[in-house]
Amino acid sequence: MEAIVQNIYQSPIGNVHNFLCQCQQCNLSAWEHQDTFSIAFIRQGNFVFKVFRNDLDAFNGLFLVCKPGYEHRVGHVHEMPDQCTIFSFPAVNVDQLEEQGRELSWFLKNPDLHAVLIKATPEMEYLHHRIFNLLQKPHFPRLWVEQMMLELFSLVLSRGQHKVIPPLTDKQKRNHLPVISSVKTFINENLSEDITLPQLAASGHLSPFHFNRLFKQMTGITPYNYLLQVRLKEAHLQLRHSSQPVTHIAFDTGFNSLEHFSAAYKKQFGLAPSQMRR
């Protein structure tokens, strides 16, 4: 497979690679050996990941978790070059990852399953967004990046029992996935703003009614709930890693009242914002 693979971060915790497919007329790659345990987030595009007895339909918004020691092939069904962020881990860390992923034991302990797709939640996507954007800068706080990486891995590996991911048609993957992806990016980058439904719909050249239905169909949640979960995740990060007052954090993350923020936060995390810091 023709691709540019950029090593954008190295750490004893793991390495981060920016994978940019360069295929113009890809059909199916040769067999490739998986040397490390890896978690890849598919930022763009769609491909088929072929492993023992399984053809995994991987597309934007999913995480691909691969165990080491197996072979795979990758194919494209249409001309949509994929882009992925790949987190790979040294062998010494695999046991610790598996300890975090007890809910994924059905996959991790089964020798016949070599890879699995996991649907990203809004908080997973936001954590990836924060990590990937920081790694593009010439200088960034390594400890902060690594803390977010560990939190992301924990969320991905604690997704519970095997869940069937609803299949998408070729038309949805070709025409609608890029629109939904761009809207998610816009939300992640503008979470503190007073975002409107017509504003999001216009970015995809759709009517608000069509866009609202399409977003729910493609992601499983409404645009408002996606925005709410992203705001709550950013607030959660600030509560844990800053000394800013709770009121400041509430307004900084787009909430228009402390009462609304406190109620939504407690519903999401089980504790009031002030209790999270104790």
Side-chain angles (χ1 to χ4, degrees), residues 8 10 16 24 35 45 53 61 69 85 93 99 109 129 141 154 184 189 195 206 237 253 259 271 273:
I8 57 177
Q10 287 183 293
V16 185
Q24 298 298 318
D35 295 319
R53 296 180 181 173
T85 307
N93 289 342
E99 182 68 19
K109 303 299 184 183
H129 173 82
S154 179
K184 289 177 180 178
E189 293 177 349
I195 298 173
L206 300 170
L237 291 172
T253 52
E259 292 75 18
L271 293 172

Side-chain angles (χ1 to χ4, degrees), residues 186-187 190-197 199-200 227 231:
F186 179 85
I187 289 174
N190 298 275
L191 64 90
S192 63
E193 303 298 324
D194 185 18
I195 298 173
T196 67
L197 188 63
Q199 188 179 11
L200 295 178
L227 172 62
R231 284 174 168 172

Side-chain angles (χ1 to χ4, degrees), residues 24-276:
Q24 298 298 318
Q25 295 181 337
C26 283
N27 291 315
L28 191 62
S29 72
W31 287 103
E32 302 173 27
H33 191 265
Q34 181 76 25
D35 295 319
T36 61
F37 188 100
S38 67
I39 298 175
F41 179 67
I42 304 154
R43 303 194 312 266
Q44 176 182 302
N46 166 228
F47 57 91
V48 177
F49 193 81
K50 293 179 172 287
V51 289
F52 179 65
R53 296 180 181 173
N54 279 299
D55 289 354
L56 303 179
D57 187 17
F59 50 82
N60 169 257
L62 301 180
F63 283 91
L64 175 65
V65 182
C66 298
K67 293 188 288 192
Y70 301 103
E71 291 187 329
H72 63 264
R73 303 177 79 183
V74 179
H76 293 88
V77 293
H78 44 66
E79 295 178 2
M80 282 183 63
D82 53 279
Q83 297 182 6
C84 302
T85 307
I86 304 175
F87 303 89
S88 59
F89 308 93
V92 68
N93 289 342
V94 172
D95 288 342
Q96 295 179 45
L97 288 167
E98 291 184 351
E99 182 68 19
Q100 289 192 52
R102 291 178 179 177
E103 292 84 352
L104 270 181
S105 60
W106 58 268
F107 161 66
L108 297 172
K109 303 299 184 183
N110 188 337
D112 289 336
L113 294 177
H114 303 171
V116 66
L117 290 169
I118 296 175
K119 186 174 178 60
T121 63
E123 63 177 332
M124 289 180 199
E125 291 193 294
Y126 182 65
L127 277 172
H128 167 268
H129 173 82
R130 288 289 305 272
I131 294 165
F132 186 77
N133 280 4
L134 278 172
L135 294 181
Q136 305 309 303
K137 298 180 178 180
H139 305 287
F140 53 83
R142 290 175 63 93
L143 179 59
W144 176 229
V145 166
E146 290 173 356
Q147 285 178 325
M148 287 195 291
M149 284 170 57
L150 289 175
E151 185 167 354
L152 175 61
F153 304 154
S154 179
L155 288 172
V156 172
L157 295 174
S158 62
R159 282 296 286 161
Q161 295 298 312
H162 182 52
K163 297 178 181 178
V164 176
I165 297 172
L168 300 180
T169 66
D170 283 346
K171 179 181 178 181
Q172 288 175 317
K173 287 182 283 192
R174 182 189 295 272
N175 299 332
H176 300 329
L177 268 181
V179 173
I180 299 303
S181 177
S182 66
V183 167
K184 289 177 180 178
T185 299
F186 179 85
I187 289 174
N188 288 332
E189 293 177 349
N190 298 275
L191 64 90
S192 63
E193 303 298 324
D194 185 18
I195 298 173
T196 67
L197 188 63
Q199 188 179 11
L200 295 178
S203 68
H205 306 288
L206 300 170
S207 73
F209 300 99
H210 185 199
F211 168 76
N212 192 55
R213 184 174 63 252
L214 180 65
F215 191 95
K216 175 72 181 295
Q217 180 185 24
M218 298 287 286
T219 66
I221 60 174
T222 65
Y224 172 76
N225 281 328
Y226 188 94
L227 172 62
L228 177 62
Q229 291 189 42
V230 167
R231 284 174 168 172
L232 288 170
K233 189 59 185 178
E234 172 59 24
H236 185 64
L237 291 172
Q238 290 193 31
L239 282 168
R240 292 176 58 194
H241 303 289
S242 81
S243 58
Q244 293 287 354
V246 172
T247 301
H248 174 88
I249 292 173
F251 288 102
D252 188 55
T253 52
F255 291 90
N256 55 20
S257 77
L258 181 59
E259 292 75 18
H260 179 210
F261 168 64
S262 297
Y265 188 92
K266 186 171 184 179
K267 182 178 180 181
Q268 179 78 359
F269 296 104
L271 293 172
S274 57
Q275 293 176 305
M276 184 57 66

